[in-house]
Amino acid sequence: MKRFGLFILAAFTAIGFTSCSDSDGDYPRSWAFATVKTLENNDYYFVLDDGKTAYPGDKSRIGAYQAEEDERAIIYFNLQKTPVESYDYNIALYLVQDIYSGETQTVASQEELDELADAPTSFLGSRLNSNYLNLGVGFNATDLSKHTFKLVYFPDAEIDPDNKREGYVNMELRRDANGDEGRYNYEDRYVSFKLDAFEELLKDKEGIILRVHTRLNGVKYIKIDLPKER
């Protein structure tokens, strides 16, 4: 399911895992982008974007959360010392916030690219690894359910040399408002793209140059680096 969740105050440049002490209050010290995986008896676990698995051995702080297979989320948690067999981490789970899952697309011609919607979208930050691109975005909307996002690659695109860099792949962020008038300002949304369709394309690359049609500054090209160790 694709959906927009409420904004979580998690800086894209922050470290997802932090050391903690149980003596200074009951709150989550760690957070991560993750994919929800369901188990029998309404149970679930998470696959973090680095491929590690996390089982919520302590769900006492979570209410009636309904896990959905392959839903993208940001999870807030603390690591627990007691291991759980078959999982990399045992966690005390504090919050699960579903986030929007965008689509990826490769286009074959300029005409096909020109047919895609290109509604203005603020760029608020990014986290990129070989599995996912996670973006913070802002846009105007009245009905959030009408808005869709695509990460687009056009192999034969003619790109100005100023917006290209050796070792980087040029891609585009495209938003389709589907006729929504955009009455309210949303500067607080995440969009996540699974990169399996671009696995070979990004192999041995340094990162992505992302074209974004921004709301205030027109078209911008943003360099997003892949982690050095991957």
Side-chain angles (χ1 to χ4, degrees):
M1 178 182 293
K2 300 172 184 176
R3 67 177 69 169
F4 280 103
L6 296 176
F7 182 60
I8 302 295
L9 292 177
F12 278 103
T13 57
I15 298 173
F17 293 93
T18 59
S19 61
C20 63
S21 169
D22 292 334
S23 63
D24 58 354
D26 183 27
Y27 60 89
R29 279 80 168 179
S30 303
W31 66 272
F33 288 98
T35 302
V36 180
K37 308 300 289 186
T38 55
L39 299 167
E40 294 180 354
N41 301 319
N42 296 319
D43 205 359
Y44 53 91
Y45 68 99
F46 304 98
V47 179
L48 309 186
D49 282 7
D50 62 1
K52 300 291 187 180
T53 55
Y55 181 78
D58 181 356
K59 304 181 182 72
S60 62
R61 300 165 187 82
I62 298 294
Y65 172 66
Q66 183 63 48
E68 296 186 25
E69 183 71 13
D70 291 331
E71 183 71 83
R72 291 290 290 160
I74 299 173
I75 60 172
Y76 278 67
F77 60 94
N78 285 333
L79 296 173
Q80 300 197 106
K81 295 180 180 178
T82 305
V84 177
E85 186 177 358
S86 302
Y87 297 92
D88 296 299
Y89 305 114
N90 178 15
I91 63 174
L93 187 61
Y94 283 71
L95 179 66
V96 181
Q97 183 57 64
D98 295 333
I99 60 177
Y100 183 88
S101 295
E103 298 180 356
T104 59
Q105 181 177 346
T106 298
V107 299
S109 67
Q110 185 65 48
E111 289 76 15
E112 185 179 357
L113 182 66
D114 292 341
E115 289 177 357
L116 297 178
D118 192 19
T121 306
S122 296
F123 175 86
L124 305 178
S126 65
R127 287 179 71 93
L128 172 66
N129 60 34
S130 57
N131 298 316
Y132 287 94
L133 171 63
N134 303 301
L135 300 176
V137 297
F139 55 95
N140 286 22
T142 301
D143 182 353
L144 286 173
S145 68
K146 292 184 177 181
H147 295 254
T148 60
F149 284 79
K150 288 185 177 182
L151 180 64
V152 180
Y153 173 60
F154 178 27
D156 298 323
E158 295 184 6
I159 302 169
D160 188 290
D162 291 340
N163 299 315
K164 296 178 67 175
R165 180 172 291 200
E166 183 70 25
Y168 288 77
V169 178
N170 282 78
M171 295 185 178
E172 299 193 12
L173 176 67
R174 294 294 185 113
R175 179 171 69 91
D176 190 346
N178 288 295
D180 186 30
E181 294 180 358
R183 183 179 304 168
Y184 305 108
N185 179 26
Y186 290 90
E187 286 281 0
D188 53 8
R189 292 297 182 268
Y190 287 113
V191 179
S192 184
F193 297 98
K194 190 174 183 180
L195 299 176
D196 53 346
F198 298 139
E199 181 178 1
E200 287 301 315
L201 178 65
L202 293 173
K203 186 177 180 180
D204 300 324
K205 293 294 191 292
E206 298 296 321
I208 291 171
I209 303 294
L210 186 66
R211 175 198 177 275
V212 182
H213 180 193
T214 68
R215 292 190 292 178
L216 299 179
N217 299 303
V219 173
K220 295 293 181 181
Y221 291 82
I222 300 160
K223 183 171 72 72
I224 305 174
D225 293 314
L226 278 162
K228 294 299 182 182
E229 296 181 6
R230 62 181 194 271

